[in-house]
Amino acid sequence: MGIVSGSMNLFRLYFNENFGFNMLEMSDILEKFSFDAFYDEGKNINYGFVPFEYPEKFSFTDSSIIYGEHILFAMRYDEKKINSRYYNTELSNLKRKFLEENRKDFLSKMDLEFLKNTLTNRLLKMAVPSTSMVEIIFVPEKKEIYVSMISSKIVESLTHLFRSAFDINIYQENLVEFSKRVLDNPGKLDQVLQLNPSFN
């Protein structure tokens, strides 16, 4: 994977809570919140933890999360997407057929909602999901998490998983928080922000 080969950028996330699980407990929790445990064919978005060697190893019971000095695992994120042009074309065809078959001149709001839901469900069942693998380095002693990919959807999913699994709330530092952490005198930044509040 990319972390091992060093061929990717990593993004840092943080948490403030104490982490009191040993490695055996952590493996059990990761298995409980794994992709396979959460998977539901009827959902258009599925995500969950997977071993670092995934897909060669599917279960945390058959895989280690310790690699040298690091705790490594991953999150699999699957999303079924519908092409908007294809959807609009098919919806137009459905509308025309519905009007012809029911001898109507126009569609009611309820008719339109019914057609949209029918089409969406049909297309999602046929859709092949787009799969993303997010590699994770977990550093509990520093209360840091490094991830190989970041977007609003990925962060939202990771936040949900870590809160549900380990009762910790992960977050990204903004520029102000980062500056306060690395500066020798964080009070100086507050003075700058008072002079120019637009940085907040």
Side-chain angles (χ1 to χ4, degrees), residues 82-135:
I82 300 170
N83 179 283
S84 58
R85 287 185 180 170
Y86 182 77
Y87 179 88
N88 291 334
T89 302
E90 289 298 300
L91 184 59
S92 294
N93 289 334
L94 269 181
K95 287 179 187 175
R96 182 178 46 76
K97 287 178 185 175
F98 186 85
L99 290 171
E100 287 172 2
E101 289 170 3
N102 293 282
R103 296 181 183 169
K104 288 187 168 189
D105 294 325
F106 65 91
L107 292 170
S108 69
K109 191 174 178 181
M110 232 165 88
D111 292 336
L112 188 56
E113 285 302 309
F114 170 76
L115 291 175
K116 284 181 176 179
N117 288 337
T118 302
L119 180 60
T120 300
N121 290 336
R122 190 181 81 205
L123 293 180
L124 283 176
K125 282 181 184 175
M126 298 186 315
V128 175
S130 170
T131 298
S132 298
M133 297 298 296
V134 182
E135 296 171 282

Side-chain angles (χ1 to χ4, degrees), residues 47-110:
Y47 56 85
F49 294 122
V50 292
F52 188 68
E53 301 103 327
Y54 189 86
E56 285 77 20
K57 293 189 178 179
F58 279 83
S59 171
F60 286 97
T61 57
D62 302 327
S63 172
S64 177
I65 58 172
I66 304 292
Y67 293 82
E69 300 175 358
H70 301 291
I71 300 171
L72 297 177
F73 51 97
M75 179 186 76
R76 177 177 169 177
Y77 180 94
D78 280 17
E79 182 176 5
K80 294 179 180 178
K81 296 179 180 177
I82 300 170
N83 179 283
S84 58
R85 287 185 180 170
Y86 182 77
Y87 179 88
N88 291 334
T89 302
E90 289 298 300
L91 184 59
S92 294
N93 289 334
L94 269 181
K95 287 179 187 175
R96 182 178 46 76
K97 287 178 185 175
F98 186 85
L99 290 171
E100 287 172 2
E101 289 170 3
N102 293 282
R103 296 181 183 169
K104 288 187 168 189
D105 294 325
F106 65 91
L107 292 170
S108 69
K109 191 174 178 181
M110 232 165 88

Side-chain angles (χ1 to χ4, degrees), residues 29-39 47-50 60:
I29 293 169
L30 289 170
E31 185 66 25
K32 183 179 174 185
F33 290 88
S34 68
F35 181 84
D36 286 347
F38 278 173
Y39 182 76
Y47 56 85
F49 294 122
V50 292
F60 286 97

Side-chain angles (χ1 to χ4, degrees), residues 111-167:
D111 292 336
L112 188 56
E113 285 302 309
F114 170 76
L115 291 175
K116 284 181 176 179
N117 288 337
T118 302
L119 180 60
T120 300
N121 290 336
R122 190 181 81 205
L123 293 180
L124 283 176
K125 282 181 184 175
M126 298 186 315
V128 175
S130 170
T131 298
S132 298
M133 297 298 296
V134 182
E135 296 171 282
I136 299 166
I137 302 176
F138 187 59
V139 191
E141 64 275 11
K142 291 186 178 178
K143 298 187 176 181
E144 295 175 344
I145 299 164
Y146 294 86
V147 296
S148 62
M149 183 184 304
I150 206 153
S151 71
S152 58
K153 288 180 179 180
I154 293 296
V155 171
E156 186 180 319
S157 304
L158 285 168
T159 301
H160 174 247
L161 281 174
F162 275 95
R163 186 186 301 122
S164 302
F166 301 111
D167 202 25

